[in-house]
Amino acid sequence: MPKRVGNLYQTITKDYIRSIILKAASGRESRPDIKKTIENLDACVNRVYSMLMDDSYVPHKPRVVTIYDVSSQKFRKIQMLPFFPDCIIQWIVVDLLMPVLMKSMDAYSCSSIPGRGGHKLYRHFRRFIRRKHRHARCAVQMDIHHYYESIDIGILMAMLRRKCKDERLLRLVEVILRSTSQDGKSLAIGFYLNQWLANFYLQSTDRLIHQGGAVRCYGRYMDNITFIGSNKRRLRAKMREICESVKRIGLSIKGDYQLFPLQETRKARISRLRRQAMRPSSRKPLLPCCRDLRAVGFRFFGTGRIALRRRNWLRLRRQMIRIMARLPAIGRKTAMSFLSRYGNIKHTSAFRIRAGYIKAPEIRAVKRSLKAA
């Protein structure tokens, strides 16, 4: 067993709690519940300190809100807790567990971690495909079925105990997790603590993927697993290992996982050219027998070209049409949303989009309206 981290709970002081509250409230001071907490900061610090020292904290029943996730095009049930004391205590727990959670985390395990968003994976895939072209021949994409709902809390706590020996802190973590669980499974979507633990749960799978040398480039965005290699047979064997690995921790891979070529092989290219030569010249040319890697909102081609995913481009185009019809009378939030989507274009090879659809004077008009709002 590796050396475990201990003596974390006893480092909690009133000054420490005060700093965590201010950190958690940063940028959200206008919210009524957070504003009330800041106005009565000393009293809130004392109450949270007494709850933690007396082990008397009981999580509130969360408020369930159903939202439509535009990026994944599905409905999600988000569980929301009051800022005081539940969110504050979760921030404290995450801050104490940070040495445990970050110690063995993969460098390209992203999502819900400061400084590790989708753009980190974008740069990683772009750099590998363009610089190590001969190794970027095949790609694998896998997704875990109902990830948060399938996480076993018992297995998760056993993983934490292998890294941390502070039983008092671990008991607090288990109380928070089981407050929304009915059968010992399922993490609540929306808890600050659960985002970190969901990333931690797949660390053993991250290590397995790197073993053997079959995978040359790897990245994981929460439960979306993507890796690239040069040997199709070895990648298929690695896929079987991953399916067995996640099954041991109570998870399952969706049936739509896929292994596909990023580049056309020499044999396939010769066959395509021969079939093309046998076709009438009036017909359209046959397309190469390869596909593009679709991750974090972009399409990565084996040639190094990068494009927006179709649904992201359609959202941008529709939003642009609505905004141009209402200029200059658009709100600040609408302008910020459009410019945020437009910013993705500069990371692609979309010169035709900039030349044919989006004009510089229109973008300047949106920026002027943002400054005036």
Side-chain angles (χ1 to χ4, degrees):
M1 181 177 290
K3 185 174 178 61
R4 298 187 295 167
V5 180
N7 301 323
L8 299 173
Y9 203 90
Q10 65 186 23
T11 61
I12 298 176
T13 63
K14 291 185 178 181
D15 291 336
Y16 173 75
I17 295 174
R18 185 189 305 273
S19 65
I20 292 294
I21 292 176
L22 296 175
K23 182 179 177 181
S26 177
R28 301 185 293 168
E29 294 87 349
S30 59
R31 267 180 45 178
D33 54 341
I34 297 180
K35 185 177 180 180
K36 185 177 179 180
T37 302
I38 298 299
E39 291 173 351
N40 304 280
L41 186 58
D42 292 335
C44 293
V45 168
N46 292 333
R47 287 186 60 187
V48 171
Y49 182 77
S50 62
M51 287 180 188
L52 294 176
M53 293 300 105
D54 301 339
D55 296 326
S56 59
Y57 167 66
V58 178
H60 288 81
K61 185 177 180 180
R63 179 168 61 94
V64 180
V65 179
T66 302
I67 65 169
Y68 181 71
D69 188 353
V70 178
S71 61
S72 59
Q73 298 181 343
K74 65 176 72 172
F75 287 95
R76 297 187 185 276
K77 290 185 177 180
I78 307 297
Q79 302 193 31
M80 304 177 66
L81 288 170
F83 182 74
F84 176 85
D86 300 88
C87 291
I88 295 172
I89 290 179
Q90 289 196 25
W91 273 76
I92 292 172
V93 171
V94 169
D95 194 72
L96 293 175
L97 284 175
M98 199 68 71
V100 177
L101 301 176
M102 294 296 295
K103 185 176 181 180
S104 55
M105 185 175 291
D106 189 87
Y108 293 99
S109 171
C110 302
S111 176
S112 304
I113 301 173
R116 293 193 185 188
H119 202 67
K120 181 180 177 69
L121 283 183
Y122 160 81
R123 292 194 303 267
H124 181 49
F125 292 141
R126 181 192 63 181
R127 181 170 56 247
F128 180 82
I129 292 174
R130 289 183 175 178
R131 295 185 181 180
K132 300 186 178 180
H133 185 72
R134 64 189 184 92
H135 295 303
R137 295 180 179 176
C138 299
V140 175
Q141 290 190 300
M142 311 177 80
D143 193 7
I144 295 178
H145 179 69
H146 290 170
Y147 181 46
Y148 273 76
E149 293 88 342
S150 304
I151 293 178
D152 192 304
I153 295 178
I155 296 176
L156 175 59
M157 294 306 302
M159 290 179 178
L160 284 173
R161 285 189 170 89
R162 286 180 58 86
K163 304 285 185 178
C164 176
K165 58 184 178 182
D166 194 326
E167 283 296 329
R168 201 173 178 187
L169 178 59
L170 293 175
R171 282 199 303 271
L172 177 60
V173 172
E174 192 164 7
V175 165
I176 296 173
L177 297 183
R178 295 196 182 276
S179 65
T180 58
S181 175
Q182 298 178 355
D183 55 353
K185 287 191 175 184
S186 79
L187 295 186
I189 300 177
F191 285 14
Y192 180 65
L193 172 63
N194 292 0
Q195 300 173 5
W196 287 86
L197 295 181
N199 269 309
F200 172 77
Y201 197 68
L202 286 176
Q203 286 189 5
S204 58
T205 304
D206 294 338
R207 290 192 295 271
L208 172 67
I209 291 175
H210 287 292
Q211 293 174 3
V215 176
R216 306 303 296 264
C217 176
Y218 169 67
R220 176 169 63 83
Y221 195 80
M222 191 55 78
D223 62 327
N224 296 311
I225 299 171
T226 305
F227 51 90
I228 304 172
S230 57
N231 190 302
K232 191 174 182 179
R233 178 179 56 82
R234 296 179 68 186
L235 290 181
R236 186 175 286 112
K238 184 61 68 174
M239 292 169 64
R240 291 194 291 267
E241 291 180 21
I242 294 171
C243 292
E244 293 297 325
S245 173
V246 300
K247 191 181 295 183
R248 288 194 290 269
I249 56 177
L251 304 176
S252 61
I253 299 293
K254 285 184 181 179
D256 59 353
Y257 62 89
Q258 47 195 328
L259 166 63
F260 53 89
L262 274 178
Q263 300 177 27
E264 189 178 32
T265 61
R266 182 174 178 272
K267 183 178 179 180
R269 181 173 178 272
I270 293 174
S271 175
R272 177 173 60 85
L273 294 177
R274 284 178 178 173
R275 287 185 286 116
Q276 182 68 50
M278 297 172 61
R279 294 162 62 94
S281 57
S282 60
R283 293 193 178 186
K284 294 182 179 180
L286 295 174
L287 297 177
C289 301
C290 58
R291 283 181 45 195
D292 53 281
L293 173 65
R294 303 183 182 186
V296 293
F298 295 93
R299 301 171 63 191
F300 301 87
F301 293 84
T303 57
R305 188 170 72 89
I306 300 174
L308 281 178
R309 295 191 69 168
R310 178 178 175 81
R311 62 190 183 193
N312 292 355
W313 159 241
L314 289 177
R315 288 195 206 106
L316 173 63
R317 177 65 177 153
R318 290 164 185 162
Q319 189 178 25
M320 181 176 58
I321 293 173
R322 292 194 300 268
I323 286 177
M324 298 313 164
R326 295 185 305 195
L327 274 176
I330 60 173
R332 178 181 177 84
K333 187 175 181 180
T334 304
M336 291 177 63
S337 173
F338 170 72
L339 292 175
S340 177
R341 290 187 187 276
Y342 173 73
N344 287 328
I345 294 180
K346 69 179 181 181
H347 302 297
T348 66
S349 310
F351 62 92
R352 292 181 181 176
I353 292 177
R354 290 192 290 268
Y357 292 95
I358 301 176
K359 307 299 181 182
E362 297 172 343
I363 299 301
R364 287 196 292 267
V366 175
K367 292 180 178 179
R368 283 197 300 270
S369 65
L370 178 61
K371 293 179 180 179

